[in-house]
Every structure is written in C-alpha cells, then in structure tokens.
Amino acid sequence: GFLQSYAVEVDIKDASNATCLYADWMMRFLIRYESNSGDYKSTTLDLSSNVTHNGSVCGNDTQAALVAVQFGEGHSWSINITKNNETYQGDFITLTYNTDDTAVFPDAKRKGPVTVLVKHPLHPVQLNTVFVCHSSYLIEAENVTQIFWNVTMQAFVQNGTVSKKESRCPADAPTSAPTVPPTIANVTTASTTTLSPAPTSPPKPVENPDTGNYSLKSGNKTCFLATVGLQLNVSQDKPLLININPKTTIADGACGNTTATLKLNDANSTLIGF
C-alpha cells in the first residue's frame, strides 16, 4: 500500500437495524505546530487501533448524514454528507487534534484541542451507488495535510444493502502509458482530466530535468534524503512536460517512526508528494 496505517470501517444502522451509511477508508494527517522554542515542527498523526464512531448519523432528505470517528488521545475527524435529488456528496470536513498528546506533539507551545474546518465539496455520486477511490487524495488547510486512500463509501443506503454499482474517482481511471516511468507516489488533488487524441505533430523535445537534492530533518538528523531529477507529464489537448526546478523548489514534510512523507513545493502549492 501507499502508506501503512489502520483502516476505518463504519457501518451505521437505522432504527430498524438496517445499514444506512457505510464507509471503509484509510487516512493520515501531516501537521505543523509551534514548539515552546518558537520554531515549527512537523508531525504525523495516524489512526490508532481503537476507533469509535460516536455521533455518526444516517441522514435523510432534510438532514445531512455524518461520519464521525474518534481515535487516540482526544483526536476526532468527521465528514458531512448532503443529499440533493438523485446524488449525495461530501461537503464539510472537520479535524480536531489534541496537542496534549505528547507522543504526537512533543514540546507543543499550544495545549489542548485544535479544530480545522474545511469546506471541500467532493464530486457528486448517484444514489444507490458506492464511491470507491484506491488512489491517494490530499487536502491542505491551516498547517494540516489530510491524506486519504482506499476509500469505499455509500451514504443514504437503500434497503439496508450496500450497492454493487461503483463510482470511481478520476485518479483510479486507467490511462495510457506515460512517457516517464511511474516512480512518483500517486498523491492527487481533486481534478478531472479529459484525454484528447495525440497531436499530429510531435511536441518539441524537453531537456532532461536538473537533479535536485531534497532532504528532511528530524531534530539534528537527516531522516529523508532524495537526489532526483523530476519531470511532470500533463495530459491535455497538447501534452505538457514540466521540469521541476531544484533552485525554486522547497522540501517539506515529516518523518515518523515507520513512515516518512516528502512534499516538494513551489511558492504557491505542492508539486509532488512522496
């Protein structure tokens, strides 16, 4: 798998003990927080083995459904799911992390729960259809990067039975073989790409990308080191090749006990996540 973490499975029942909402997914959070010395540290918040789903509700035509989970030392996450005619879609995502958890937030200056609310409408899914996305999906807001993968979810389940009809996320759709070997971890953002026929004339050749040295530190020790030249191959009306410039690219991320995440950023947004 892309990342090692615990999976969450939530099966919400209605008053007649029939399944009304089902979700099975994996997620992880990369968080930057201020330490007592005034500098900022990066940490990884993973799901624990014991996850509860208190407060989750089925929803109906007038009330939104809610998937709410609690885990670890006072951490919680939820997604609000609304129904609109013949579709449903995720809307608000709320993460509350507790910096009193010293195992995750050592030497944190701010103590207690911190809540991050993100309005992030997801692609509408037809009713009686289960949403499936094995690829990684990334949301960034307020010093927090939320990563989701291996998602299976259906809200407003009909007749208590999860549908066998699937709606796949765009990132799971098969594509033609890329010109660059697929060595980059599949971290995607919400976008839909329409593939067009190849142009009749070949694009001008692009020089090989410059090699960059990217590293992360944990304390005084280097915990992640990558020496690599990177090129993006974007499928659109005319294929676009973009070389990543090491001189303007900044490495960010976090190292954990068993995993590490490297994000390469320019001045405005994340380019690639490993």
Side-chain angles (χ1 to χ4, degrees), residues 51-107:
V51 179
T52 59
H53 52 82
N54 300 324
S56 298
V57 295
C58 296
N60 51 43
D61 291 341
T62 59
Q63 179 186 10
L66 181 70
V67 178
V69 295
Q70 303 82 39
F71 59 98
E73 301 295 325
H75 313 296
S76 62
W77 180 90
S78 66
I79 182 170
N80 194 73
I81 306 169
T82 55
K83 181 180 180 182
N84 183 16
N85 295 326
E86 298 300 320
T87 63
Y88 66 91
Q89 69 179 126
D91 194 355
F92 289 97
I93 295 176
T94 304
L95 168 68
T96 297
Y97 58 91
N98 183 16
T99 57
D100 285 333
D101 185 351
T102 56
V104 180
F105 301 96
D107 194 36

Side-chain angles (χ1 to χ4, degrees), residues 238-258:
K238 293 184 179 180
L240 176 65
L241 297 180
I242 303 173
N243 286 339
I244 303 303
N245 184 358
K247 296 180 181 179
T248 59
T249 302
I250 300 173
D252 192 10
C255 295
N257 293 329
T258 58

Side-chain angles (χ1 to χ4, degrees), residues 39 41-42 214-226 253-257 260:
D39 61 339
K41 296 183 177 181
S42 297
Y214 309 104
S215 63
L216 300 177
K217 287 187 177 294
S218 179
N220 294 324
K221 297 181 178 180
T222 298
C223 61
F224 196 122
L225 178 63
C255 295
N257 293 329

Side-chain angles (χ1 to χ4, degrees), residues 130-252:
V130 61
F131 173 75
V132 177
C133 190
H134 295 303
S135 301
S136 301
Y137 186 86
L138 183 146
I139 299 174
E140 294 181 283
E142 299 183 33
N143 291 328
V144 176
T145 300
Q146 304 184 43
I147 305 174
F148 311 91
W149 70 103
N150 287 349
V151 177
T152 300
M153 183 184 72
Q154 183 180 352
F156 308 100
V157 175
Q158 300 176 9
N159 302 320
T161 302
V162 176
S163 176
K164 294 183 179 180
K165 181 181 178 182
E166 293 184 354
S167 174
R168 289 279 185 155
C169 62
D172 279 3
T175 59
S176 58
T179 58
V180 178
T183 57
I184 298 172
N186 189 14
V187 177
T188 63
T189 55
S191 62
T192 302
T193 300
T194 302
L195 299 180
S196 301
T200 55
S201 59
K204 295 180 180 179
V206 176
E207 296 181 358
N208 290 332
D210 293 333
T211 299
N213 295 304
Y214 309 104
S215 63
L216 300 177
K217 287 187 177 294
S218 179
N220 294 324
K221 297 181 178 180
T222 298
C223 61
F224 196 122
L225 178 63
T227 301
V228 60
L230 296 170
Q231 183 182 86
L232 302 182
N233 181 5
V234 183
S235 297
Q236 53 182 22
D237 292 339
K238 293 184 179 180
L240 176 65
L241 297 180
I242 303 173
N243 286 339
I244 303 303
N245 184 358
K247 296 180 181 179
T248 59
T249 302
I250 300 173
D252 192 10

